[in-house]
mmCIF file of all heavy atoms in Angstrom:
data_model
loop_
_atom_site.group_PDB
_atom_site.id
_atom_site.type_symbol
_atom_site.label_atom_id
_atom_site.label_comp_id
_atom_site.label_asym_id
_atom_site.label_seq_id
_atom_site.Cartn_x
_atom_site.Cartn_y
_atom_site.Cartn_z
ATOM 1 N N LYS A 302 119.173 59.352 48.214
ATOM 2 C CA LYS A 302 118.771 60.754 48.173
ATOM 3 C C LYS A 302 117.519 60.959 49.003
ATOM 4 O O LYS A 302 116.537 60.217 48.865
ATOM 5 C CB LYS A 302 118.535 61.192 46.728
ATOM 6 C CG LYS A 302 118.174 62.657 46.605
ATOM 7 C CD LYS A 302 116.697 62.832 46.449
ATOM 8 C CE LYS A 302 116.282 64.287 46.386
ATOM 9 N NZ LYS A 302 114.850 64.394 46.044
ATOM 10 N N GLY A 304 114.780 63.933 49.897
ATOM 11 C CA GLY A 304 114.303 65.241 49.461
ATOM 12 C C GLY A 304 113.793 66.073 50.633
ATOM 13 O O GLY A 304 113.752 65.612 51.779
ATOM 14 N N GLY A 305 113.386 67.288 50.316
ATOM 15 C CA GLY A 305 112.930 68.250 51.315
ATOM 16 C C GLY A 305 111.821 67.721 52.213
ATOM 17 O O GLY A 305 111.811 67.960 53.425
ATOM 18 N N ALA A 306 110.866 66.976 51.622
ATOM 19 C CA ALA A 306 109.718 66.495 52.396
ATOM 20 C C ALA A 306 110.147 65.448 53.431
ATOM 21 O O ALA A 306 109.512 65.298 54.476
ATOM 22 C CB ALA A 306 108.668 65.899 51.463
ATOM 23 N N SER A 334 118.437 67.240 50.329
ATOM 24 C CA SER A 334 117.956 68.560 49.871
ATOM 25 C C SER A 334 117.760 69.478 51.061
ATOM 26 O O SER A 334 117.884 69.058 52.206
ATOM 27 C CB SER A 334 116.601 68.440 49.186
ATOM 28 O OG SER A 334 116.601 67.478 48.203
ATOM 29 N N ALA A 335 117.372 70.698 50.759
ATOM 30 C CA ALA A 335 117.018 71.646 51.806
ATOM 31 C C ALA A 335 115.753 71.162 52.506
ATOM 32 O O ALA A 335 114.935 70.447 51.932
ATOM 33 C CB ALA A 335 116.793 73.018 51.198
ATOM 34 N N MET A 336 115.597 71.555 53.783
ATOM 35 C CA MET A 336 114.492 71.037 54.583
ATOM 36 C C MET A 336 113.154 71.686 54.208
ATOM 37 O O MET A 336 113.057 72.909 54.130
ATOM 38 C CB MET A 336 114.786 71.283 56.060
ATOM 39 C CG MET A 336 116.016 70.514 56.524
ATOM 40 S SD MET A 336 116.520 70.961 58.183
ATOM 41 C CE MET A 336 116.934 69.331 58.823
ATOM 42 N N GLY A 337 112.145 70.871 54.017
ATOM 43 C CA GLY A 337 110.792 71.374 53.749
ATOM 44 C C GLY A 337 110.779 72.373 52.606
ATOM 45 O O GLY A 337 111.296 72.093 51.532
ATOM 46 N N LYS A 338 110.208 73.523 52.876
ATOM 47 C CA LYS A 338 110.063 74.550 51.827
ATOM 48 C C LYS A 338 111.157 75.614 51.902
ATOM 49 O O LYS A 338 110.968 76.754 51.447
ATOM 50 C CB LYS A 338 108.687 75.227 51.956
ATOM 51 C CG LYS A 338 107.511 74.290 51.825
ATOM 52 C CD LYS A 338 107.129 74.131 50.356
ATOM 53 C CE LYS A 338 106.047 73.091 50.171
ATOM 54 N NZ LYS A 338 106.451 71.983 49.302
ATOM 55 N N THR A 339 112.302 75.255 52.470
ATOM 56 C CA THR A 339 113.368 76.233 52.660
ATOM 57 C C THR A 339 113.810 76.909 51.359
ATOM 58 O O THR A 339 114.035 78.116 51.327
ATOM 59 C CB THR A 339 114.592 75.560 53.322
ATOM 60 O OG1 THR A 339 114.174 75.028 54.581
ATOM 61 C CG2 THR A 339 115.725 76.532 53.529
ATOM 62 N N THR A 340 113.918 76.121 50.290
ATOM 63 C CA THR A 340 114.380 76.714 49.028
ATOM 64 C C THR A 340 113.443 77.826 48.558
ATOM 65 O O THR A 340 113.899 78.891 48.125
ATOM 66 C CB THR A 340 114.521 75.608 47.948
ATOM 67 O OG1 THR A 340 115.372 74.590 48.474
ATOM 68 C CG2 THR A 340 115.125 76.151 46.664
ATOM 69 N N ASN A 341 112.138 77.599 48.682
ATOM 70 C CA ASN A 341 111.185 78.662 48.313
ATOM 71 C C ASN A 341 111.373 79.894 49.179
ATOM 72 O O ASN A 341 111.337 81.024 48.694
ATOM 73 C CB ASN A 341 109.744 78.172 48.468
ATOM 74 C CG ASN A 341 109.425 77.067 47.481
ATOM 75 O OD1 ASN A 341 110.212 76.771 46.584
ATOM 76 N ND2 ASN A 341 108.274 76.449 47.642
ATOM 77 N N GLU A 418 120.715 73.769 51.505
ATOM 78 C CA GLU A 418 121.312 72.422 51.517
ATOM 79 C C GLU A 418 122.463 72.350 52.520
ATOM 80 O O GLU A 418 122.681 71.315 53.153
ATOM 81 C CB GLU A 418 121.814 72.057 50.115
ATOM 82 C CG GLU A 418 120.798 71.361 49.215
ATOM 83 C CD GLU A 418 119.602 72.208 48.799
ATOM 84 O OE1 GLU A 418 119.646 73.439 48.972
ATOM 85 O OE2 GLU A 418 118.609 71.637 48.317
ATOM 86 N N ARG A 498 116.067 73.872 39.869
ATOM 87 C CA ARG A 498 115.170 73.473 40.948
ATOM 88 C C ARG A 498 114.937 71.959 40.927
ATOM 89 O O ARG A 498 114.876 71.341 39.888
ATOM 90 C CB ARG A 498 113.820 74.212 40.844
ATOM 91 C CG ARG A 498 113.827 75.660 41.323
ATOM 92 C CD ARG A 498 114.259 75.872 42.765
ATOM 93 N NE ARG A 498 113.564 75.081 43.765
ATOM 94 C CZ ARG A 498 112.523 75.510 44.462
ATOM 95 N NH1 ARG A 498 112.031 76.711 44.258
ATOM 96 N NH2 ARG A 498 111.990 74.742 45.382
ATOM 97 N N GLU A 499 114.818 71.402 42.095
ATOM 98 C CA GLU A 499 114.605 69.962 42.314
ATOM 99 C C GLU A 499 115.804 69.138 41.834
ATOM 100 O O GLU A 499 115.671 67.965 41.504
ATOM 101 C CB GLU A 499 113.337 69.468 41.604
ATOM 102 C CG GLU A 499 112.070 70.265 41.920
ATOM 103 C CD GLU A 499 111.726 70.296 43.392
ATOM 104 O OE1 GLU A 499 111.987 69.284 44.063
ATOM 105 O OE2 GLU A 499 111.230 71.327 43.866
ATOM 106 N N GLY A 500 116.974 69.762 41.813
ATOM 107 C CA GLY A 500 118.142 69.111 41.209
ATOM 108 C C GLY A 500 118.869 68.084 42.077
ATOM 109 O O GLY A 500 119.864 67.513 41.641
ATOM 110 N N SER A 501 118.392 67.820 43.289
ATOM 111 C CA SER A 501 119.130 66.882 44.150
ATOM 112 C C SER A 501 119.157 65.454 43.613
ATOM 113 O O SER A 501 120.141 64.737 43.811
ATOM 114 C CB SER A 501 118.521 66.855 45.548
ATOM 115 O OG SER A 501 118.691 68.096 46.156
HETATM 116 MG MG1 MG B 1231 113.493 70.753 47.641
#
Side-chain angles (χ1 to χ4, degrees):
K302 183 260 177 172
S334 308
M336 296 172 139
K338 300 273 174 239
T339 301
T340 306
N341 294 351
E418 270 67 14
R498 283 302 308 264
E499 307 302 326
S501 295

